[in-house]
Amino acid sequence: MQAVKRVAGAAVAALMLGGAGTAPARAETMEGALVRAYQNNPQLNAQRASVRVTDESVPQALSGYRPKVAITASAGYQYSDVTASTGRLHAGQVPRSVGATVTQTLYNGQQTANQVRAAEGQVSAAREGLRVLEQSVLLAAAQIYMDYLRDAAIVEVQRSNVRVLEQTLKQTRDRFNVGEVTRTDVAQSEAQLASGKTQQLAAEATLNTTRSNYRRIIGNEPGGLAPGSPVDRFLPKTLEAAIRLGLTENPNVTAAMYGIDVSYLQVKVAEGALFPTVSLQVSAQKAYEPQLTYTQMSTASAIAQVSIPVYQGGAEYSLIRQSKETLGQQRLALEQVRDQTRASIVQAWGQLLAAKAQVSSAQAQVQASEIALNGVREEARAGQRTTLDVLNAQQSLVNARVALVTAQHDRVVASYSVLNAVGRLAPNLLGLKTTVYDPSVHYHQVRDSWVGVRTPDGR
């Protein structure tokens, strides 16, 4: 019994809520696991690349403000056979020319300006989408960290239970040999030991699965993990405050807001197709031997052009209507996202409160089970209890310790879930010792690029 208390107590201590004592030397910490997931998670790195892809939509839209320059050159051979009153003339020549044309759009119904603003809105929405995935990865990392602690502790509880049951079986057989108990008591002890071994094997299988998932999410094999702690200090004080915060800071909500802005600007872009377009074209050309009678010829022109759309088959009107419907859809989607966010916060908050209560209840259950087991053992020695009563009390204690480990796991994970629901599960808020990825760096590197095919990282 003392072995159960020592080993199971140590296993439960591995999940103590904060202040679990000094962690073992070189132990893996929750913060370290979150840093590795934040830096190395392939899904998160792929999403960062996706944001960089979206960044390029802004310089593409800005290209509408910039001139378009084209250089043309031609060369060939021309044979002429001309009959005139003065005689017949035939000759071969090599006409050559080179020229340049510059076209600048002066006005297009504000389509370029609205396209730029829409592209900037898409970039902002993509950054919020990145925040969503960052939070999901950090939450998954925190959960798998606590999952491994829980499953490892349960394995230790089950192993110590098997050791105690083996000792109980030995004692029962000894008592059977001296006639104190019957064969039935021995069979009950054997059955309970077999059940305990089955529970141990199941716990070990679960731990192996968790170890594999830990490697997938965190990026390395779990070692000696330090205790995990809840993040209540970063949470709002009340549910109402959490809801207010979530409806303004949750990245799903802010991404939906940017989606409305982009859809509104797309309506303006579509309406711009109904306005006149004014452009200026400047060209210059130098020709050599263009005709038999000329050896050189230079031309230059500057032409302003106004194009007024009158009717283009009705496609432009359909596009405007379609864009307006998309805008209405985005506004409805925002309300849906707000409702989902509110529901997620209420659910996570309720789970956190329940987890806190479950920890207290599980601790009381463990204490009561320990007292009950000691009492049953003493009564069994006096002949007032059977071997089955002792075995049942032993199993009740094991179940209570497993429940406590699970409750402490749920307590920590629930606090991270609330932080994720309100939209504040971020590396800078958690104080993680890592360089925070800043998507605006790449954006400013490419925004005003006029030429170049290399990416900022040199590819």
Side-chain angles (χ1 to χ4, degrees), residues 134-438:
E134 284 178 349
Q135 293 199 144
S136 298
V137 168
L138 291 176
L139 178 60
Q143 180 164 357
I144 196 63
Y145 186 95
M146 296 305 301
D147 286 352
Y148 188 84
L149 281 177
R150 176 199 61 196
D151 296 341
I154 291 176
V155 167
E156 289 304 317
V157 169
Q158 296 296 348
R159 286 175 179 172
S160 64
N161 180 49
V162 169
R163 288 193 291 269
V164 170
L165 291 175
E166 288 174 343
Q167 183 65 26
T168 301
L169 176 59
K170 181 179 180 301
Q171 294 173 354
T172 304
R173 284 174 175 169
D174 293 341
R175 295 176 64 190
F176 172 73
N177 292 333
V178 298
E180 293 183 2
V181 296
T182 65
R183 181 60 187 170
T184 302
D185 295 303
V186 176
Q188 289 172 341
S189 297
E190 291 174 344
Q192 194 72 4
L193 176 58
S195 176
K197 289 181 178 180
T198 300
Q199 293 174 2
Q200 176 186 333
L201 292 174
E204 290 173 347
T206 301
L207 181 61
N208 288 333
T209 301
T210 304
R211 181 182 290 109
S212 177
N213 289 331
Y214 188 101
R215 174 68 177 82
R216 174 178 58 85
I217 296 173
I218 305 298
N220 65 297
E221 294 291 337
L225 303 189
S229 300
V231 288
D232 292 358
R233 60 191 181 280
F234 302 125
L235 300 180
K237 300 301 181 183
T238 64
L239 174 59
E240 291 73 19
I243 293 175
R244 289 195 300 269
L245 187 63
L247 294 181
T248 56
E249 292 194 16
N250 187 289
N252 289 299
V253 175
T254 51
M257 291 178 177
Y258 284 120
I260 292 178
D261 294 339
V262 172
S263 296
Y264 173 78
L265 292 168
Q266 292 294 350
V267 173
K268 294 301 180 182
V269 171
E271 290 175 346
L274 303 178
F275 288 82
T277 300
V278 181
S279 61
L280 176 64
Q281 185 178 81
V282 178
S283 62
Q285 187 177 31
K286 180 81 171 182
Y288 300 90
E289 300 183 31
Q291 298 180 15
L292 290 176
T293 55
Y294 303 112
T295 58
Q296 292 185 19
M297 183 173 65
S298 299
T299 60
S301 64
I303 301 174
Q305 182 178 6
V306 179
S307 176
I308 302 176
V310 178
Y311 185 72
Q312 304 174 64
E316 66 277 24
Y317 299 106
S318 176
L319 184 59
I320 292 172
R321 296 193 302 269
Q322 183 183 51
S323 300
K324 289 181 177 179
E325 291 294 346
T326 301
L327 175 58
Q329 178 188 13
Q330 289 295 326
R331 287 171 173 163
L332 294 173
L334 173 59
E335 293 305 315
Q336 181 182 8
V337 170
R338 282 174 172 165
D339 290 339
Q340 291 173 344
T341 299
R342 184 182 292 104
S344 298
I345 294 173
V346 172
Q347 179 182 8
W349 192 272
Q351 290 175 343
L352 177 59
L353 295 179
K356 291 179 180 179
Q358 287 169 358
V359 169
S360 299
S361 298
Q363 289 172 341
Q365 183 182 359
V366 169
Q367 294 173 358
S369 297
E370 289 175 348
I371 296 173
L373 178 58
N374 291 333
V376 170
R377 284 182 177 275
E378 293 297 328
E379 293 172 359
R381 292 191 185 98
Q384 298 176 347
R385 292 282 186 170
T386 65
T387 301
L388 181 60
D389 293 330
V390 176
L391 295 174
N392 289 339
Q394 169 67 23
Q395 186 61 46
S396 296
L397 177 59
V398 170
N399 294 341
R401 292 197 179 279
V402 171
L404 177 56
V405 168
T406 303
Q408 291 179 325
H409 160 277
D410 296 345
R411 168 76 175 85
V412 176
V413 173
S415 67
Y416 278 89
S417 297
V418 174
L419 200 60
N420 173 72
V422 300
R424 306 196 75 179
L425 185 56
N428 51 356
L429 180 69
L430 296 175
L432 301 183
K433 296 179 180 179
T434 181
T435 301
V436 178
Y437 181 80
D438 185 1

